[in-house]
Amino acid sequence: MQTHYFLAVPLPSTLKRKIVESISREDFPFKRWVHEKDLHLTLVFLGSCTQEQLQQIQKKCQSLVTNWEAFTLELSTYGTFGSKKKPRIFWIGVKEEAKLYQLQRDVSRLCEESGFELDKKSYSPHITLARQWAIDNDYEPVDGNQMQGVQWRVEEFILYKSVLTETPKYKTVHRFQFGGGDNTQ
C-alpha cells in the first residue's frame, strides 16, 4: 500500500469539535465519517512521491512561507459532491477568501515545479466530513447552517501523509509556519 501525501490548512481542535458536534450522523447516514482529528482544508493533493520530491517541496514551501502573514477563514454552508440524491462526499465549505486562493496557487506552482502532476480541476475549498451515502432514501440537503460565520486564523499549512492502517490516518510530516517558522515532525 503506497503512502500518499498532501498539503493542507489545519483546523484548530476547538473548531474540529464544533464541526463534529454540529451535525447528527444519525440524520446523515454516510458509510464513512472523517475522524475528528483528520479534519483539514486541502490545498494540494500530491499522491505518492519520491524522497527527493518530498525534500524539494519542503524546501520550496519553507521559502514560500517567509513572505506570508496569517489570515482568517470563515466557514460557510454544507454541501455535497456527486449525485444530489446519493452523494459521494459530504462537506462544509469556507467563505471565499482571496488569500486562501493565492496560497493554493502558490503552493500548486511549487509542486508542479517539483515534478508533481496535479489535478487540473478548479480549486473548491471544503472540509470533507463524510463519504458514500449509505441508504436507499435520498439525501436531503441540510437546512441552514449554525456553523456559518465561525472563523479561525490560518498561520500555517502542513505536509501530511496518509497512513490508511491507522485511525486517525493523517500524520504530520512538516509544518510550514507563516513568517518562516520551521517545525519538522
Side-chain angles (χ1 to χ4, degrees):
M1 190 174 291
Q2 281 191 325
T3 301
H4 289 160
Y5 295 85
F6 61 96
L7 294 155
V9 171
L11 308 179
S13 57
T14 53
L15 178 60
K16 291 177 184 183
R17 169 79 2 226
K18 274 185 184 179
I19 291 171
V20 167
E21 291 172 351
S22 76
I23 196 80
S24 166
R25 291 182 182 201
E26 292 77 35
D27 292 340
F28 298 93
F30 285 87
K31 287 183 183 176
R32 294 182 317 201
W33 285 83
V34 175
H35 189 281
E36 179 179 328
K37 290 183 179 178
D38 283 338
L39 295 175
H40 65 274
L41 178 64
T42 300
L43 293 170
V44 177
F45 179 76
L46 301 173
S48 60
C49 55
T50 66
Q51 197 60 37
E52 182 182 324
Q53 284 177 308
L54 276 179
Q55 290 171 350
Q56 191 173 45
I57 199 60
Q58 286 181 45
K59 184 178 179 182
K60 288 181 179 201
C61 286
Q62 194 60 52
S63 178
L64 172 72
V65 294
T66 60
N67 298 318
W68 273 86
E69 294 181 8
F71 59 93
T72 300
L73 287 178
E74 182 177 318
L75 294 178
S76 62
T77 59
Y78 295 109
T80 61
F81 293 135
S83 164
K84 296 248 186 260
K85 293 183 178 187
K86 304 208 182 320
R88 184 176 41 85
I89 302 287
F90 177 58
W91 49 263
I92 189 166
V94 294
K95 190 175 177 183
E96 191 165 325
E97 169 53 58
K99 290 180 182 177
L100 174 63
Y101 284 87
Q102 185 61 53
L103 179 62
Q104 193 276 336
R105 282 191 301 272
D106 288 353
V107 170
S108 292
R109 179 181 43 79
L110 296 178
C111 292
E112 288 173 339
E113 288 172 4
S114 298
F116 290 97
E117 291 188 31
L118 305 181
D119 189 349
K120 298 300 181 199
K121 288 186 254 174
S122 63
Y123 184 54
S124 178
H126 64 280
I127 300 161
T128 299
L129 303 176
R131 292 178 174 84
Q132 292 182 296
W133 187 247
I135 62 172
D136 289 334
N137 295 350
D138 291 346
Y139 167 81
E140 294 288 330
V142 177
D143 288 331
N145 184 350
Q146 67 272 29
M147 298 301 291
Q148 279 185 316
V150 173
Q151 299 180 341
W152 81 100
R153 294 285 290 164
V154 176
E155 299 174 344
E156 66 179 350
F157 64 92
I158 296 177
L159 172 63
Y160 288 102
K161 71 177 177 179
S162 298
V163 182
L164 301 179
T165 57
E166 296 181 20
T167 303
K169 65 182 174 182
Y170 302 138
K171 308 299 178 201
T172 299
V173 174
H174 194 92
R175 293 178 177 275
F176 302 99
Q177 296 175 337
F178 297 159
D182 183 12
N183 187 1
T184 303
Q185 295 293 307

